Amino acid sequence: MRPFDYGDEEIGEVEILFIVASFMIAVGVLTLPRQLAGTTAFSDGWVSLLIAGSFSTFFIWITAKLAARFPNQSFFTFASSICSKPIATVIMLWFAAYYATLAGYETRVIAIIAKQYLFDQTPIEVIALLFLLVVVYAVSGTRVGIIRLNILFLPIILVIALLLMLLDIQYFETKNLTPVFTTSWERYLKGAKECFFALSGFSGLLFYMRFVKRPKKAPKFAIYGVFIPLGLYLLLYLMAIGVFNADTTSTLVYPTVELAKEAEVPGGFLGRFESLFFTIWIMAIFNTTSLAYDVALMAVNSLFQKVKKITIIFVLTPIIYLIAMFPQDLTEVDKLSKYMNVSNAGLAIFLPSVLLLLAKVRGIKGND
C-alpha cells in the first residue's frame, strides 16, 4: 500500500488517521488545561482525559464501522437508505449548521488569540476575515489538497509541541502533581465532559470515508488517530500543572500559550518562543477549520447537487464570518462552545449509534 498515492478524490486508510487527529488538535489544546484544572483537583484531570478518550475511541469506531458498511457511498445516500430521504435531509442540515458554526468558532478564537499575542493593533474583524479567506482558498481547491496540507502540517505541529515541553521541563515541579485521586467521581465525569468536545470532532468521518479505497481497514486507523491528540493533551495538561500548579492553571485563559511564554531557547537563539509556537499553532487551527468548512460544504452539496461548489462557498463564507463575529466577548464565545457541545454529542454519539443499529436490524448495507 502507498498511503499517500492519491487517485481522483481517493485517499488511503492511513489518511483517516491524519484527518481524525487534525479534527481534534485545535483550540482545545490552548484552553483544555484551564478547564480541567478548574474541575478536578491537583493533577487528577488526566483521569477525566482518559475517560473522554475511551468514549471517543468507542464512538469513533462506531462511526467508522457505519461508514465502512457502505463503501464508496456518500453519507446522504446511505443515510437515506437507512432512515428515509426526508430524515436524511434534516441530518444533512444539522451537519451543515454544526460544522459551519465550528468553522466560525475556530475563526473567532484564532482571531482573539492573534490579537492578544501577535497583532494587538489590528481589529479582530480584520484578523478573522483574513484567516477565513485563507481557509476559503484551501477548500476551493481539491479535497485531496486539504488532506495533503493536514499531512504536511501535523508532524510540524507535534514537533513544536514536544519542543515546548522540553524547554519547559526545567520549571516542572513534581510536587504540583500530588496528591492524586482526591477528586470525586462527579468531578471526574464533569471533567470528561469538558474534554469530550476537544476529542470528538470525528463525525465528519461519515463524509470522508466515501473517498477511502479500502474502507474496511479505516476503523483501525481512525482509532489510532484518537491516540495522537489524546497523548498530546495529556502531556500538555500535566506540563501546565507541573509548571504553574492547578490553582494558577485554572486562572489562565490560555495555559498552553503561557507555557510557550515561559520557554527559553538555550543561547538566546529565539527571544520569544511563544511567537513561533503560536505561528505554528495557527496551522493546527487552520487544519481543523478547513476540514470543518469542507464537511459543511459536503453536507450542503448533498442537498443541492446541481449547484456549483464555488456558489455554495460564496453563500457559506459570509454566514461563517457572521457566526464568528456574533459573540460580543470571550464569555459569549465560551457560551457558544457549550451550545456546540450539546449538538456535537448528538452528532458524535447518538446519530452514528442509531444509524448503525438500524442498518444492522434492517440488514441494510452497501455493495462491497
Side-chain angles (χ1 to χ4, degrees):
M1 177 185 66
R2 296 173 61 189
F4 308 134
D5 184 20
Y6 297 94
D8 183 19
E9 294 289 291
E10 281 191 338
I11 62 176
E13 56 271 22
V14 177
E15 280 83 336
I16 291 296
L17 181 153
F18 285 88
I19 291 172
V20 170
S22 295
F23 258 126
M24 294 181 179
I25 299 176
V27 296
V29 171
L30 306 178
T31 59
L32 194 61
R34 166 175 56 87
Q35 295 168 333
L36 280 176
T39 306
T40 58
F42 299 98
S43 64
D44 284 352
W46 66 268
V47 178
S48 295
L49 264 170
L50 290 181
I51 293 172
S54 300
F55 272 95
S56 293
T57 301
F58 176 71
F59 286 107
I60 200 171
W61 179 82
I62 287 179
T63 301
K65 289 293 287 185
L66 170 63
R69 190 178 177 89
F70 301 90
N72 307 123
Q73 289 189 27
S74 70
F75 179 33
F76 182 65
T77 300
F78 69 75
S80 298
S81 66
I82 295 173
C83 60
S84 80
K85 192 170 183 178
I87 295 178
T89 299
V90 173
I91 292 172
M92 292 304 109
L93 291 173
W94 186 6
F95 268 94
Y98 173 76
Y99 278 96
T101 303
L102 177 60
Y105 171 77
E106 299 284 340
T107 299
R108 178 58 181 271
V109 173
I110 194 68
I112 291 172
I113 304 173
K115 181 174 178 59
Q116 181 174 342
Y117 291 100
L118 294 178
F119 310 112
D120 58 335
Q121 300 299 316
T122 307
I124 196 168
E125 295 82 2
V126 174
I127 299 173
L129 179 60
L130 292 175
F131 177 78
L132 184 58
L133 288 177
V134 175
V135 173
V136 168
Y137 179 75
V139 299
S140 298
T142 64
R143 190 153 290 116
V144 166
I146 298 174
I147 298 172
R148 281 176 172 160
L149 285 175
N150 280 266
I151 294 170
L152 174 65
F153 289 163
L154 185 60
I156 299 172
I157 294 163
L158 295 176
V159 168
I160 292 298
L162 291 174
L163 178 60
L164 164 66
M165 289 181 274
L166 286 174
L167 293 175
D168 276 334
I169 198 71
Q170 59 183 315
Y171 307 114
F172 189 89
E173 296 186 20
T174 54
K175 66 179 182 180
N176 291 337
L177 304 180
T178 56
V180 295
F181 302 120
T182 60
T183 304
S184 65
W185 276 107
E186 290 81 4
R187 287 194 167 272
Y188 278 134
L189 294 177
K190 184 179 179 181
K193 182 182 175 182
E194 297 284 348
C195 300
F196 188 73
F197 176 61
L199 290 170
S200 62
F202 49 77
S203 55
L205 275 184
L206 292 167
F207 291 87
Y208 284 107
M209 286 285 287
R210 171 189 181 183
F211 307 107
V212 179
K213 297 176 186 177
R214 290 171 288 272
K216 288 186 177 180
K217 296 182 179 181
K220 176 176 66 175
F221 287 95
I223 291 173
Y224 294 159
V226 178
F227 295 157
I228 295 174
L230 178 59
L232 181 63
Y233 284 145
L234 278 169
L235 290 174
L236 286 174
Y237 165 72
L238 292 174
M239 181 60 66
I241 299 300
V243 172
F244 300 122
N245 73 49
D247 290 336
T248 302
T249 301
S250 66
T251 64
L252 299 173
V253 179
Y254 303 113
T256 310
V257 178
E258 297 301 323
L259 280 175
K261 292 175 70 174
E262 291 290 324
E264 293 183 6
V265 179
F269 175 73
L270 185 63
R272 294 184 62 191
F273 181 81
E274 73 270 17
S275 297
L276 173 63
F277 170 81
F278 184 68
T279 302
I280 297 299
W281 214 257
I282 290 176
M283 295 180 180
I285 299 175
F286 169 82
N287 282 347
T288 304
T289 309
S290 60
L291 288 172
Y293 195 128
D294 194 42
V295 171
L297 191 60
M298 285 189 281
V300 174
N301 184 241
S302 297
L303 302 178
F304 304 98
Q305 298 180 11
K306 294 183 180 180
V307 179
K308 292 182 179 179
K309 178 180 179 180
I310 193 65
T311 303
I312 300 175
I313 290 174
F314 275 124
V315 174
L316 275 180
T317 300
I319 293 174
I320 291 174
Y321 183 73
L322 288 174
I323 291 171
M325 292 296 102
F326 182 75
Q328 298 301 307
D329 51 34
L330 192 59
T331 302
E332 291 192 7
V333 172
D334 287 339
K335 285 183 180 179
L336 177 60
S337 71
K338 287 180 170 59
Y339 291 133
M340 291 170 62
N341 280 345
V342 177
S343 181
N344 182 51
L347 291 176
I349 298 175
F350 176 75
L351 184 64
S353 302
V354 170
L355 289 180
L356 182 59
L357 180 62
L358 286 175
K360 286 183 174 293
V361 170
R362 300 177 61 188
I364 301 172
K365 61 181 180 179
N367 297 322
D368 295 330

